[in-house]
Amino acid sequence: MTVRAKKFTPEALLSAPRRSAGLPNSDASKVLYSVSTYSFDKHAKTSEIRVLDVKSQETSLVTDKSGSSEPQWLDDETVLLLHEDEGGVTHVKVGPADDFKDKSYIAGTIDGPVGNVKLTSIDNTTFGVAVTGKAKLNGDLFNPEKASKPHTTGRVYTSLFVRHWDHYVTENRNAIFLATLYKEGDQYKLSGLINALKDSGLESPIDPFGGTDNFDISVHGLVFTAKDPVLNPATHTKTNIYLSASNTFWLDIANKIPEFFQVPIYNFEGASSSPVWDKEGKSIAFLSMKTDGYESDKNQLFVIPDYVSPGWVQHLFPGSTGKGSWDRSPQSITWGNKILYVTAEKEGRTNLFLTPASAFLDGAHSSSPHLLVKGGSINDVKVLESGALFVSSSSLIDNSLYSLIPADHSTRISQGRNAYTLPVDESAVDPASTELTAAYVSSNSRGGSSFGLSRRQLDEFYWPGSAPNTSIHAWVVKPSNFDPDQKYPLAYLIHGGPQGAWTDSWSTRWNPAIFAEQGYVVVCPNPTGSTGYGQDFVDAIQNQWGGLPYEDLVNGFEYIEKNVPYVDTERAVALGASYGGYMMNWIQGHDLGRKFKALVTHDGVFSMTSQLASEELYFPFHDLGGPLWSNSSSWAEWDPSRFLDNWATPHLIIHSELDYRLTMNEGLSAFNVLQTKGIPSQFLTFPDENHWVLKPENSLKWHEVVLDWINSYVGLAKYTEVKSKN
């Protein structure tokens, strides 16, 4: 960012450059990344691919051509990227990073839209390439711009999954396409694409959020995860790991893809994810859950030591019960030199852990991986040739931070040294400190200062949980001009999930600092059901949607009343989305609802029976203890619509038409009740948004309506009125 925001407003949030995870070259002297910026003056988004010179801290443009994306290093100076063009085609372009505009060339053209590019080096002149795209029934890549248009809009379905997230399911399915990129003279050329999943009955990546984390390639083959083809995805979460490999894989695929092998994971019937090859293309690591139908079961770590014997699968940290001795749920895996790095949530942060190869190769099992990096939320890790780690992360006040962990980190950790912490800014590294601080590489927001934010605004506290032997953790975000002698209205933010958490991470949808800069003290609690506090705490949400979490929130409000003198609980508002929206509707019908001046429900649950219209039925079936017809009492017990007699607090309802997870009728029903009862209320909807509001102009409208609504009930100026005067 080149311009400091005078105040962190929704416009500042939404127009700030959004930077991808960094992709370092071999020694991290240069970092390749993409960045997009939205202009509310021009009502347009610009996207660029840039290179950061770490030593000088200067960046140079690779390309700003519309449609360019997914840059990759071919070597320390040469970049490959995808470029969408007219007719729906995708060009694979190659060129020098420092003169891409004039010296790049098209290595190949793919007849359709693709993404999620991955590369693996086969030899000095050849790369294996994988991309993903929609495939037609015959296995060919689907190009929507060239597809014939039907004369009717009618669709007939004979099984579940009529629609998913924000779209209706069609005959076209995600597939992984393979090719080679080989050198011919001084230029690279792309071979023809081969649909690796053709005629397999499998689909990968898995909709709606699957991407590069759903598959991986190496010199020896392809590994991926896909839904079990025998089970209906609307009522089951089971996914399997499939492997296609050989010693001459990239030569073999020209004739036939080596047969898929379904990796056996005994006694694990849930979702398997994040398959990753090691650097040599010999071993594979992946994650798996025990329970089918439970998307928030604990991920556990597995390794196939040698792809030649894919039936030999080692379970890391299994424990005596099979539930796993490590009480964390890893989210991603990165291979180092005989080391596995995994990210996992721990008490409101996404930290980095490591486990040495001895944990699975020599049978020398420890009880858990070692904590390596803590603080903020790590979203990507790259291992350099030296063994150093390049880490991309964010925090509640910084939207993109690049850091470097030195190559001797495993030795230091094995000596019992403290875990590394992420640097706040370039000046944060103190050589005299006993803490191990990661080396600063780059911050997109200069440690939050470009937004007028700082770590001084952040705090956290705990209060006793409603269940025995539990504590509830909450993040606290204060205004940047905070004065401890003043009193501030409370904004109580309830997260979705319910198996989710407020973490020390950046968000452009629900950013606590936006509310803090309006003049609130923002409290973001992680009640029963939240992730990052042990699996028992997560699992306790089952059959307790309006029980233990609600009691935790009541206890939290009382704790704030008694122990936080700078918060005025007489001027309190509460807001939540998804499960947080459910909780707003539940609170409205219970005593805690009378403590708030106003409520905001974004895409929440109004009636439990309406969950039968959702696409992923396994979710309510699990959390409510079975289908409605076999456990109607649980569905009724936690139904917010049973308590409409008590609804009285002013309430803003937000619900968008493309939300197929929690359908539009949920929001309309709540608003109709409020209006019929004469309760002050508003309804905001977007016909072109799903469960989230993602388009910048729509998101700005969302922020304006929400802030105007809550500000007007706590004595703060409406946001749009202040904006119009500036």
Side-chain angles (χ1 to χ4, degrees), residues 623-643:
D623 276 17
L624 298 174
L628 173 64
W629 48 92
S630 65
N631 194 14
S632 59
S633 60
S634 180
W635 287 62
E637 182 177 10
W638 307 120
D639 190 335
S641 67
R642 286 202 306 124
F643 303 94

Side-chain angles (χ1 to χ4, degrees), residues 232-246:
N232 193 289
T235 52
H236 296 271
T237 58
K238 188 177 193 303
T239 63
N240 305 318
I241 300 294
Y242 297 92
L243 175 65
S244 174
S246 71

